[in-house]
Amino acid sequence: MQTKDDSLIDRREAAKYLSVSPGTLAVWDCTKRYDLKPRKIGRAVRYRRSDLDKFIEQQLRR
């Protein structure tokens, strides 16, 4: 069973959550700049909210 933090969200929602554009997320995924662990479901890209939270925490520690 998934918790709310493990829910999958699309690129548009993930970008809004991180306060960046969807294009920025696409570039980060393509260049592997940050390991946001995107999941591909068919042609759709999804992100776990918990992975985005970990990314935010890592950025705050810098």
Side-chain angles (χ1 to χ4, degrees):
M1 176 185 272
Q2 290 182 345
T3 65
K4 184 175 179 161
D5 289 338
D6 282 340
S7 60
L8 293 173
I9 58 175
D10 65 20
R11 180 171 280 152
R12 183 181 49 81
E13 292 175 275
K16 187 174 182 179
Y17 190 71
L18 295 175
S19 299
V20 299
S21 73
T24 297
L25 272 186
V27 169
W28 289 354
D29 291 345
C30 182
T31 62
K32 310 278 192 251
R33 180 169 183 177
Y34 299 110
D35 186 20
L36 298 176
K37 298 179 177 69
R39 280 114 173 123
K40 290 208 63 169
I41 302 171
R43 294 176 74 182
V45 178
R46 300 288 187 257
Y47 301 85
R48 287 204 188 278
R49 197 174 298 267
S50 59
D51 290 334
L52 299 178
D53 289 335
K54 288 176 192 173
F55 169 75
I56 292 169
E57 287 297 320
Q58 289 172 350
Q59 296 306 304
L60 292 174
R61 283 189 230 141
R62 287 184 172 189

